[in-house]
Amino acid sequence: MTTEIQLRNLQKWFGSNQVIKDFDLTIAAHEFIVMLGQSGCGKTTTLRAIAGLESIDEGDILIEGEPVQHLKCSDRDIAMVFQSFSLYPHMTVYENIAFPLRATRMAKTELDAAVREIARVLQISDLLDKKPSALSGGDMQRVAIGRALVRQPKAMLMDEPIGALDAKLREQMRAEIKRLHIKQGSTTVYVTHDQVEAMSLADRIVIMHDGKLQQVGPPEEVYLHPANLFVAQFVGSPVMNIADIDIGSAGGGAEIRLAGSDKGFAFGEGALSGISRDAPVALGIRPEAVLLSQSNAKGHLPAVTTNIEPLGSHDIVDVKIGDQTLRARTESGFVGGEGQEVWVNLDPEQAHFFDRESGLSLRKAG
Amino acid sequence: MAAVQTTSERALNKVAIISVLIVTIIFLAPIYWIVSTSFKPRHLATTVPPTIVFEPEISPFVKLTLRRSQLREQPTPEEYTAAPWWERLVFDGGEKIVRSGRGEVQLSGYPSRFVNSLIIAITSTILAVAMGTITAYGFSRFKMPGEQDWLFFILSTRMLPPVVVAIPMFLMYRVVGLNDTHVGLIILYTAFNLSFSVWLMKGFIDEIPKEYEEAALVDGYTRMEAFFKVVLPEAATGIAATAVFCFITAWNEYAFALIMTRRDAQTAPPFIPSQVGSGLPDWTVIAAGTFLFLLPVAIFTFLLRNHLLRGMSFGAIRK
Ligand SMILES: Nc1ncnc2c1ncn2[C@@H]1O[C@H](COP(=O)(O)OP(=O)(O)OP(=O)(O)O)[C@@H](O)[C@H]1O
Ligand SMILES: [Mg+2]
């Protein structure tokens, strides 16, 4: 159950459509990896390739250092939880969970003990005699996880296992999956397109886009230091503001002018070290780093509010500076209404700079 | 739903019930006729109007299964009382049972035709459903070049009516010595049902999510094991429906059987009408043969009725 998985330079085509591109990733033993990306970016295909359900065109998949890309999936000793759960309808819950063990020709008493133990851990002991069609979504998901765990596989793959559940149940199952992982410690690759799920579960998040790996790192690193424009905009809610800027200098520091605006924000020189002033640069700033003020404090620029989204715990306020709109996060009720004059400043500590053309972050990570 | 019914609704209900009754009677009338005739004494079989109330007797079934001939002279009272009850029934009808030199009764042509029908229909059904299921699985799960063309080709084998194919088949079978053999008809019926079985089963297997097998593959089973342990149980409904259709087709088939069989492998459908033509037809015996012939399909369908109800929707309603 303590297995390292390596993916080396994976390539996969469906016809002329390349679905996985130059994919490199090393998953440490016990690690909980979450693959995050939009629909159609190749998450499922990557997972299926690891499981052996999909062939790969180039590259290596190594489990415990052994290349497995030529092994049948039954020989890889990996368990998978499918998005649709795929519980066998003609078998009881007990038989569903016992099914992987029956493939190993395990002794009856041992098998029975293993099934009952996993059922106890997952709190489904009273469901063992039922058919899957009689279960609720949450229980089906527990059974599916039980079926995957019972064999104590080398690794667990989960393809949006709770995507089909309603929001409340999802939250509950998320906590449960985390608890189970801490208890069992199996190497896990978990696929989702829900960033909250990714943030709360992952040891490391793998962000994919168009079959390409964009960034790998612990959740806070991905959030605080996005490697490129795609990650910056994909992680975090509401979405990070991206604005075209000119960089000038004023008073021994740098001045950040939003495109179409004649005044700028004063940033210390340190915030901009190593960033070329000539190439087109985009500023990325999260709504919580857009600071609003009711009065003209030092360094603030005037702006007009254009839209307010009250979210209970806080408000999201759109402000217009020049011809650019930034979204700011404020206390609830901070701004009275639309069309109001407010003063805006940016937190240089939380500013990100990206190369407009390549999209890559211009700030050194860390 | 026990809500108040308006008068018009109640009237409508009555009309519906009466219509269903009428349709049921119309459909069941011929079957009742056959069944009742097969329990009538011979002289009541052809009365006009038909006799509805009569004392049922089973002499038609005795006459159906045993060889008999016309009585030249009445049996002596000793002969009559010494005869077993079923032989007396035959005497009563003006006939006697033919016995061999050692006094053994002999079976008529019907029992062996019936057994032939059973052997041929059951075997060809098993073969057609088994091969059809495996073929359908292949078409459903794997990509192959020209898949659509192959499927159309398979279906097209069913497009010619049997009578068109029967003569060339007869000539070919004569060369290879398959005329009037069980194997010959089994091959023919299997081939005839196979296209239907492939298409029907493909529909059912397409409905089974392939994640079921993939889960089994990941759980350490080979594809073969996954097929038998996961796909087959899931396809049981479809298999039952396909089997009933294939069995009915093979059981009722007439044209091939008429041309390709004579004695050894002759099935019941061409045999029963041949009895009409021999001498003055005894309709009670023909009705008895027809009645027995109806039974296997009825029993088979009844046994599989739970699967059929779901299967007949061709996978449209699946839970
Ligand atoms: N069997 C297949 N044949 C052809 N194309 C495929 C096949 N499976 C997936 N694709 C394509 O590959 C791409 C990646 O699909 P994949 O299922 O891996 O995406 P995903 O990230 O899991 O998306 P989702 O979040 O919607 O599940 C998609 O464009 C999809 O259309
Ligand atoms: Mg997917």
Side-chain angles (χ1 to χ4, degrees), chain A residues 112-229:
Chain A
D112 188 64
V115 171
R116 295 195 184 279
E117 167 60 15
I118 207 81
R120 195 185 56 75
V121 171
L122 289 162
Q123 296 158 11
I124 47 173
S125 300
D126 50 333
L127 302 178
L128 286 176
D129 295 330
K130 293 203 167 143
K131 287 277 177 71
S133 54
L135 301 185
S136 67
D139 288 337
M140 283 197 213
Q141 201 259 355
R142 285 196 183 87
V143 176
I145 292 181
R147 192 175 67 185
L149 283 177
V150 70
R151 196 162 43 96
Q152 312 209 327
K154 286 182 180 160
M156 272 274 271
L157 309 177
M158 301 175 127
D159 190 359
E160 309 204 21
I162 58 182
L165 307 181
D166 59 58
K168 186 154 168 272
L169 199 52
R170 260 202 334 242
E171 206 160 298
Q172 190 187 334
M173 294 310 298
R174 215 160 63 204
E176 215 154 304
I177 289 173
K178 183 137 195 165
R179 175 176 70 87
L180 267 176
H181 178 252
I182 291 168
K183 195 164 173 329
Q184 307 260 337
S186 39
T187 309
T188 304
V189 185
Y190 185 105
V191 160
T192 182
H193 59 250
D194 178 354
Q195 48 163 310
V196 180
E197 235 170 274
M199 290 288 192
S200 64
L201 286 172
D203 292 328
R204 283 193 299 159
I205 293 183
V206 173
I207 293 173
M208 286 183 75
H209 179 53
D210 258 353
K212 265 196 136 93
L213 200 151
Q214 303 291 315
Q215 186 172 5
V216 184
E220 56 289 354
E221 186 188 311
V222 170
Y223 186 80
L224 294 176
H225 306 291
N228 58 37
L229 273 175

Side-chain angles (χ1 to χ4, degrees), chain B residues 239-261:
Chain B
I239 290 174
T242 311
V244 167
F245 281 127
C246 289
F247 182 79
I248 291 175
T249 309
W251 184 256
N252 290 342
E253 206 287 326
Y254 179 74
F256 281 128
L258 181 68
I259 295 172
M260 320 284 276
T261 61

Side-chain angles (χ1 to χ4, degrees), chain A residues 20-68:
Chain A
I20 305 178
K21 298 168 188 159
D22 317 320
F23 202 95
D24 272 299
L25 180 66
T26 300
I27 301 164
H30 302 299
E31 200 174 18
F32 198 115
I33 286 279
V34 175
M35 287 213 270
L36 179 64
Q38 290 157 326
S39 190
C41 71
K43 307 181 295 286
T44 298
T45 309
T46 311
L47 213 59
R48 288 168 58 86
I50 299 175
L53 293 170
E54 210 77 72
S55 63
I56 52 171
D57 295 306
E58 269 177 52
D60 298 296
I61 299 173
L62 294 91
I63 297 179
E64 289 175 328
E66 296 291 321
V68 297

Side-chain angles (χ1 to χ4, degrees), chain A residues 48 78 86 88-90 99 103, chain B residues 211-212 214 216 218 221 234:
Chain A
R48 288 168 58 86
I78 281 182
S86 302
Y88 310 119
H90 61 284
F99 193 66
Chain B
E211 279 87 8
Y212 287 151
E214 291 181 338
V218 176
Y221 289 93
E234 286 301 303

